[in-house]
C-alpha cells in the first residue's frame, strides 16, 4: 500500500505563553478535511512565524509519520485520545505508511495534483518541546531520530487527506532521511556522509551542517 496523507494541517502564527515567557509560532496548526492548494512556498493559508529558520521553498511541506505518535504516547504513558495526536508537533502532513528509513532524499512524489520532492530531515526545534510540554522531548527526537522531513514543491496543485504519495522518481535509493539524520545525531560515518552529500537535492541547511560535521571529523588527530 502506498503512503498516504493521514492528516493535513495548516495554520498561522499566534502567541503562546509558558513559564519561559511569551513566544510566537504557527506550530498549533489545525487539521482540515477539504482540498488545499499547495503552492511553491507551501499550502495556501499556512504561514510561519520564524521566517529566518522556516518557510523556505525547501521547507514548503513539513511531514511527520503517524507511527511516531504511537511511539511518543507509549514512551510517555499517554493515549492517542488525550496525548499527542496528528499535528501535535506542527507538521503539515501526518503520513501513514512511511518513515525516515523508507523515504529517500531527492525522491519525487505525485500527491493529488502536485509534485513534491524530499529535501531533507526536519531539525529538532525547541518550540516542539514547548508545544507538547514534555521535558526532554527535544533530546528524545534527536536520540531516536524520529524527526519527520521536509519537501519542496516541483509542481503546485491541490492536495487533500487520503492522497497517496506515488513515487515518480527515486534517484538515490541508498540515501534515506535516516541516513542524513545519522550524520548529525550519531557518530558520523564518513562513507554515509559522503553518500548523503552526493545527493544534489539535499537542502542547503543540511548540506552545510553535514559538511561541517564531516570536516570536523577529518580534522581530528589520528590515534595511530
Amino acid at each position: 500500500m502506498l503512503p498516504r496523507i493521514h492528516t493535513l494541517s495548516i495554520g498561522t502564527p499566534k502567541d503562546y505563553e509558558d513559564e519561559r515567557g511569551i513566544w510566537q509560532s504557527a506550530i498549533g496548526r489545525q487539521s482540515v478535511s477539504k482540498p488545499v492548494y499547495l503552492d511553491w512556498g507551501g499550502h495556501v493559508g499556512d504561514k510561519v512565524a520564524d521566517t529566518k529558520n522556516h518557510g523556505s521553498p525547501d521547507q514548503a511541506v513539513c511531514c511527520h509519520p503517524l507511527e511516531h505518535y504511537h511511539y511518543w504516547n507509549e514512551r510517555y504513558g499517554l493515549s492517542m485520545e488525550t496525548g499527542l495526536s496528528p499535528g501535535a508537533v506542527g507538521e503539515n502532513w501526518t503520513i501513514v505508511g512511511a518513515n525516515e528509513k523508507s523515504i529517500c532524499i531527492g525522491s519525487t512524489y505525485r500527491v493529488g495534483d502536485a509534485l513534491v520532492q524530499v529535501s531533507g530531515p526536519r531539525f529538532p526545534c525547541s518550540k516542539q518541546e514547548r508545544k507538547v510540554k514534555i521535558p526532554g522531548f527535544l533530546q528524545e527526537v534527536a536520540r531516536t531520530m524520529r524527526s519527520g522531513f521536509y519537501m519542496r514543491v516541483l509542481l503546485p496543485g491541490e492536495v487533500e487527506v487520503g492522497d497517496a504519495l506515488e513515487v515518480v522518481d527515486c534517484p538515490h535509493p541508498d540515501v534515506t532521511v535516516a541516513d542524513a539524520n545519522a550524520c548529525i545525531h550519531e557518530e558520523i560515518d564518513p562513507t554515509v556522509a559522503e553518500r548523503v552529500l552526493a545527493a544534489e537535492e539535499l537542502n542547503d541547511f543540511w548540506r552545510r551542517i553535514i559538511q561541517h560535521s564531516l570536516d570536523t571529523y577529518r580534522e581530528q588527530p589520528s590515534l595511530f
Side-chain angles (χ1 to χ4, degrees):
M1 182 179 293
L2 295 175
R4 293 183 178 274
I5 300 177
H6 176 277
T7 306
L8 195 161
S9 304
I10 61 174
T12 55
K14 68 176 185 178
D15 290 336
Y16 294 85
E17 186 171 6
D18 57 22
E19 68 282 354
R20 294 166 58 184
I22 297 175
W23 53 288
Q24 189 179 69
S25 177
I27 199 169
R29 292 182 169 89
Q30 299 296 309
S31 63
V32 295
S33 57
K34 63 182 180 180
V36 180
Y37 191 78
L38 178 60
D39 212 338
W40 300 105
H43 302 80
V44 170
D46 191 69
K47 303 292 183 182
V48 299
D50 180 5
T51 55
K52 179 180 178 181
N53 296 304
H54 302 286
S56 75
D58 288 337
Q59 301 168 312
V61 183
C62 181
C63 303
H64 197 77
L66 177 67
E67 65 186 66
H68 293 351
Y69 285 110
H70 296 287
Y71 173 83
W72 302 132
N73 288 327
E74 182 177 352
R75 168 72 175 80
Y76 295 108
L78 307 171
S79 69
M80 287 294 284
E81 291 73 26
T82 60
L84 303 185
S85 58
V89 295
E91 75 272 16
N92 299 116
W93 296 354
T94 311
I95 301 294
V96 62
N99 60 32
E100 294 84 355
K101 294 180 180 179
S102 61
I103 295 289
C104 297
I105 303 296
S107 288
T108 298
Y109 294 90
R110 183 175 300 282
V111 185
D113 297 328
L115 282 179
V116 294
Q117 184 181 70
V118 180
S119 64
R122 182 184 187 182
F123 198 83
C125 170
S126 61
K127 289 183 179 179
Q128 292 172 264
E129 184 167 319
R130 296 181 79 172
K131 166 69 163 49
V132 301
K133 302 183 186 301
I134 298 175
F137 183 77
L138 194 63
Q139 288 73 23
E140 187 72 359
V141 170
R143 185 186 71 81
T144 63
M145 297 188 290
R146 299 173 189 269
S147 63
F149 52 93
Y150 281 112
M151 292 182 169
R152 59 174 66 91
V153 177
L154 301 184
L155 177 68
E158 280 195 343
V159 296
E160 63 181 315
V161 169
D163 280 346
L165 280 67
E166 303 177 33
V167 178
V168 174
D169 187 27
C170 182
H172 312 291
D174 60 343
V175 182
T176 65
V177 172
D179 289 331
N181 267 328
C183 291
I184 299 302
H185 300 306
E186 294 183 343
E187 183 176 349
I188 193 166
D189 181 330
T191 301
V192 174
E194 289 169 358
R195 191 168 70 242
V196 173
L197 290 170
E200 60 271 22
E201 299 87 355
L202 181 70
N203 66 54
D204 289 342
F205 170 78
W206 277 86
R207 185 172 301 282
R208 288 196 303 271
I209 62 174
I210 292 175
Q211 186 64 62
H212 176 73
S213 183
L214 181 60
D215 291 344
T216 301
Y217 173 85
R218 286 172 169 165
E219 289 169 1
Q220 293 177 352
S222 173
L223 297 178
F224 301 97

